[in-house]
Amino acid sequence: MKDYIIKFIRKSCDFSGGISTKTKMKMRILFVIIVFISQIMAMNIVNAQIKKIYPVASQLKYVNDYAKVLDSGSTQYILSVGKELEAKTGAQAIVVVIDSLKDVPIGTYATGIFREWGIGQKGKNNGLLILLSVKEKQWRVEVGTGLEGAVTDIYSSRVMNDYSVPKFKQGLYGEGLRASYSLLCDSVDRKSTRLNSSHRLYL
């Protein structure tokens, strides 16, 4: 429909007989406006399609189990630890479990959720995301720049491989995530405590 309108306006603009110069100018301006609006609409459609890839954050905040594989005990534990961590340090640690990545690379998916949800405090970028895709059997830990000193890539990889992956292989997703979540949050808490102690020395 958009292409038809553009072709029609372009044809009208090129029509030389029976139309005054002033009218042609107005039609050319109209043509430019329609093309501009159509491009904006196309961009909005693309952005909407991208957003549909990522789920909407649940009301539980710290636990988002879209695959329905976590046991209630692990869910409650993560909620409790996540709430306590944010209250003490301001950092937000989020767990997301999905059925499938839908052909999106897990790094791209994790970054997309991290930015779309705005994980972490604004201006501090102190968010942490543990993403697990059940179908692809892949996981990813995404950390904001404000927590890079507390949770390094090497440390998060070791924690996930040592404590979570063995449980994942048994289908015990809740237990696996609970173990890694506890250790990663503890690392964030210790880092925050050390920083606060250092600050107090100069007060």
Side-chain angles (χ1 to χ4, degrees):
M1 184 65 181
K2 180 192 73 176
D3 294 336
Y4 173 78
I5 294 174
I6 292 175
K7 287 180 181 179
F8 174 78
I9 298 297
R10 182 181 287 124
K11 185 177 180 181
S12 300
C13 291
D14 294 337
F15 185 72
S16 58
I19 300 179
S20 66
T21 302
K22 187 176 181 180
T23 301
K24 288 181 182 179
M25 183 59 69
K26 289 181 178 179
M27 294 184 72
R28 288 192 178 96
I29 294 173
L30 178 61
F31 170 72
V32 172
I33 292 173
I34 289 178
V35 171
F36 179 71
I37 292 175
S38 65
Q39 292 301 320
I40 292 177
M41 292 176 64
M43 290 175 62
N44 288 337
I45 291 173
V46 171
N47 290 334
Q49 290 174 340
I50 291 174
K51 287 183 178 181
K52 285 182 181 179
I53 295 175
Y54 309 119
V56 178
S58 72
Q59 294 182 344
L60 295 179
K61 187 176 182 178
Y62 308 105
V63 182
N64 303 266
D65 180 18
Y66 303 102
K68 306 299 181 184
V69 294
L70 303 186
D71 59 282
S72 59
S74 296
T75 297
Q76 292 303 317
Y77 177 83
I78 293 173
L79 286 173
S80 176
V81 172
K83 185 176 182 180
E84 181 180 355
L85 179 71
E86 185 169 6
K88 290 177 64 177
T89 69
Q92 296 176 353
I94 310 298
V95 171
V96 177
V97 184
I98 57 175
D99 286 312
S100 173
L101 293 166
K102 300 178 181 178
D103 298 323
V104 178
I106 192 164
T108 302
Y109 201 107
T111 302
I113 286 184
F114 203 93
R115 293 176 178 173
E116 187 72 25
W117 290 11
I119 300 175
Q121 290 176 304
K122 188 175 181 180
K124 293 187 177 181
N125 201 15
N126 54 351
L128 182 149
L129 167 67
I130 302 177
L131 172 66
L132 172 66
S133 178
V134 177
K135 181 179 179 181
E136 288 82 6
K137 298 180 180 180
Q138 294 183 38
W139 59 265
R140 174 87 175 190
V141 176
E142 195 75 21
V143 180
T145 55
L147 296 182
E148 287 179 348
V151 181
T152 63
D153 291 340
I154 294 176
Y155 179 68
S156 62
S157 180
R158 180 164 62 84
V159 167
M160 293 298 293
N161 284 315
D162 289 351
Y163 296 92
S164 294
V165 172
K167 294 293 184 180
F168 292 164
K169 291 180 178 179
Q170 300 176 50
L172 302 174
Y173 300 107
E175 292 184 19
L177 288 171
R178 172 176 178 164
S180 58
Y181 188 86
S182 177
L183 289 169
L184 294 177
C185 286
D186 186 53
S187 181
V188 173
D189 186 26
R190 288 200 308 271
K191 177 70 174 182
S192 177
T193 300
R194 287 198 299 270
L195 288 174
N196 289 335
S197 297
S198 298
H199 291 164
R200 282 198 294 270
L201 293 175
Y202 296 93
L203 294 179

